[in-house]
Amino acid sequence: MTSLNDCRDRDAADPLAPLKNLFDLPQGMIYLDGNSLGALPRAVPARVAQVVAEQWGRDLIGSWNSAGWFDLPRRVGDRIAPLIGAGPGEVVATDTTSVNLYKVLSAALTLVEQDEAGQGQSKQGIAGSTCTPRRTVVSERSNFPTDLYIAEALCRERGWNLRLIEPHEVQTCLEPDVGVLMLTHVNYRSGAMHDMPAVTAAAHAAGVLVIWDLCHSAGAVPVDLTAADADFSVGCGYKYLNGGPGAPAFAWVHPRHVARCWQPLAGWWSHAQPFAFKPGYEPAMDITRYQCGTQPIISLSALDCALDVFTEADKLGGMAALRSKSLALTDLFIELVEAQCPGQFELITPHEHAKRGSQVSLSPKGTLPSDSAYATVQALIARGIVGDFRAGDAQQPDILRFGFTPLYLSYENVGMAVQGLQQVLVNKEYALPQFTRKQAVT
């Protein structure tokens, strides 16, 4: 079994170890929750202070031009683009994931309807020609709830159907009535990762458009939307991109689709001539048409600064190196849990590297009470080991969820985290009243 000294030796040989110094992490904390909220990059407070005191406080409205505020969503999008396999001018950092999903899903529904209308006109007069209307959006039942809520609302509004499936049904669900497949690349509960190129190819072969949510992928695992020939994508800026709570999200639309239809939130920032102030809407011909209204410049500036960390990571091997360390960290965590807490947890996250994101999810089993996940996480937090809990239901168990961000986590962190978990079990701290689900403060 790997010892703490072995972990320290691995840290000493880790070429990415200097990146941890770019973050301001609380002393004595092992932070395994970067898949919910990324840690604070050290340079961000000074950048925000400069934007507030100088750009806003001193230069006021002049900063729209002198500081380039109006172009900031596009510039930040260009910095995210290499992390998700997009080209320059193809990504915009704007709004929230939910709002961006509403935009791209609405656009996808419109494209399907437009294509059907065109096909219908071309078949007029042909005896016996029939075509099943594509009026179904397919997504996973375990997808992140906001994605499902947005899809449900749009389907109700547009007269479409929402069909929920299990992960193993993804490539067998593409029936003639399906128009759009909406998936999260890495599942927020299990950490399971889809084969994006294979799923996208299967969908396109069936005449289905694909939307990918990259909230648990961008900055954590290599993504290549262009190579996968995806249609639309959205993602957030506050998890592995470390942009801060509520950081702007991003949207990507394949260039072949950008100018084919309006997105529904036609605000002035998406206008072809936003400062002409014309009464009629003329959408921009590029990705800026997926903006809406005035953007949160301070938050965008924080995200812009946070992305400097990836510039430094590029000097040390970029996303390939980060992915290699992520897999090594998660492999080590799984190994140590199985060795030090034998028979006490079921691994929910896939063992296979190709199917795993950058997190590990466990559910209690063996002698552990099935409802002990919450209390176990709370006991760990009390020890300075921060993971998180996700409640289950009739179909899914409660889980302990741990995110592994290779930018600032060490192998020693992993070893100490599992030692802490072992002590929680040995001491039965999960049974202490201050950690029970009813009494603990979340």
Side-chain angles (χ1 to χ4, degrees):
M1 183 181 68
T2 304
S3 68
L4 270 182
N5 283 334
D6 294 330
C7 292
R8 295 181 185 115
D9 289 342
R10 293 180 73 172
D11 287 329
D14 178 16
L16 298 180
L19 294 175
K20 185 172 185 176
N21 296 325
L22 301 178
F23 290 86
D24 190 4
L25 292 161
Q27 189 70 27
M29 177 185 290
I30 298 173
Y31 191 63
L32 303 179
D33 212 1
N35 53 337
S36 277
L37 175 65
L40 173 66
R42 289 187 186 276
V44 168
R47 173 70 67 84
V48 171
Q50 185 259 337
V51 171
V52 171
E54 297 178 19
Q55 295 180 10
W56 176 19
R58 183 190 65 201
D59 299 335
L60 290 166
I61 199 168
S63 288
W64 285 108
N65 293 317
S66 63
W69 282 353
F70 197 83
D71 295 328
L72 191 55
R74 178 81 168 259
R75 298 202 312 272
V76 175
D78 279 344
R79 301 193 69 189
I80 295 171
L83 302 177
I84 60 174
E90 293 182 4
V91 180
V92 64
T94 182
D95 299 320
T96 67
T97 303
S98 299
V99 172
N100 288 336
L101 182 61
Y102 180 84
K103 297 173 194 173
V104 302
L105 179 55
S106 178
L109 302 187
T110 297
L111 292 183
V112 171
E113 292 167 358
Q114 286 179 351
D115 288 345
E116 283 191 345
Q119 293 169 4
Q121 290 176 0
S122 68
K123 292 181 179 180
Q124 284 183 357
I126 301 177
S129 63
T130 60
C131 183
T132 301
R134 294 185 180 271
R135 292 294 183 274
T136 297
V137 175
V138 168
S139 191
E140 288 180 87
R141 184 170 287 103
S142 61
N143 202 349
F144 192 72
T146 196
D147 292 34
L148 301 183
Y149 302 159
I150 292 291
E152 182 179 1
L154 262 173
C155 286
R156 285 171 61 89
E157 178 185 327
R158 300 280 290 265
W160 283 54
N161 304 306
L162 175 61
R163 182 178 302 151
L164 302 182
I165 60 168
E166 301 303 324
H168 66 273
E169 298 175 307
V170 167
Q171 295 200 42
T172 60
C173 71
L174 303 171
E175 299 177 5
D177 66 326
V178 178
V180 177
L181 178 62
M182 182 189 75
L183 297 173
T184 297
H185 184 217
V186 175
N187 185 275
Y188 83 104
R189 278 182 55 90
S190 68
M193 183 168 66
H194 284 293
D195 184 338
M196 181 184 289
V199 171
T200 303
H204 286 175
V208 175
L209 296 177
V210 188
I211 298 171
W212 289 103
D213 180 333
L214 301 181
C215 281
H216 287 267
S217 304
V221 300
V223 177
D224 196 335
L225 292 168
T226 301
D229 198 32
D231 297 296
F232 299 90
S233 182
V234 298
C236 72
Y238 57 83
K239 299 183 190 297
Y240 293 105
L241 299 185
N242 309 297
F250 62 86
W252 172 86
V253 179
H254 195 288
R256 66 172 171 262
H257 297 315
V258 169
R260 291 186 59 201
C261 67
W262 289 16
Q263 59 96 350
L265 303 179
W268 74 289
W269 276 46
S270 66
H271 198 284
Q273 301 178 67
F275 292 99
F277 300 117
K278 299 178 178 179
Y281 181 67
E282 299 173 14
M285 297 302 291
D286 57 20
I287 191 62
T288 56
R289 76 164 54 191
Y290 280 82
Q291 297 179 138
C292 182
T294 306
Q295 294 301 297
I297 299 303
I298 298 173
S299 295
L300 273 169
S301 299
L303 175 57
D304 183 37
C305 182
L307 291 169
D308 288 345
V309 172
F310 289 93
T311 301
E312 294 304 309
D314 284 341
K315 300 173 185 176
L316 301 173
M319 282 306 305
L322 291 173
R323 175 59 171 167
S324 179
K325 184 176 178 181
S326 165
L327 290 171
L329 291 169
T330 49
D331 279 343
L332 176 62
F333 184 80
I334 293 168
E335 171 204 328
L336 293 178
V337 168
E338 291 176 344
Q340 297 183 31
C341 311
Q344 300 301 292
F345 295 102
E346 179 182 356
L347 178 65
I348 303 300
T349 306
H351 262 290
E352 303 95 317
H353 286 182
K355 297 181 180 180
R356 185 197 309 166
S358 196
Q359 72 181 56
V360 176
S361 296
L362 309 171
S363 66
K365 73 170 187 178
T367 59
L368 278 179
S370 60
D371 62 352
S372 64
Y374 178 88
T376 301
V377 169
Q378 294 302 314
L380 284 170
I381 292 172
R383 287 174 167 268
I385 302 165
V386 181
D388 67 18
F389 163 81
R390 288 293 180 266
D393 54 28
Q395 297 177 311
Q396 303 178 111
D398 290 353
I399 60 170
L400 302 84
R401 195 178 71 143
F402 303 96
F404 293 84
T405 305
L407 291 166
Y408 50 77
L409 283 176
S410 67
Y411 295 99
E412 184 179 14
N413 288 156
V414 174
M416 293 179 67
V418 178
Q419 279 192 357
L421 178 60
Q422 181 188 41
Q423 287 303 306
V424 168
L425 302 190
V426 169
N427 299 332
K428 296 187 177 180
E429 294 169 25
Y430 54 81
L432 296 177
Q434 65 265 37
F435 300 135
T436 61
R437 196 168 178 185
K438 290 183 179 179
Q439 298 181 33
V441 177
T442 61

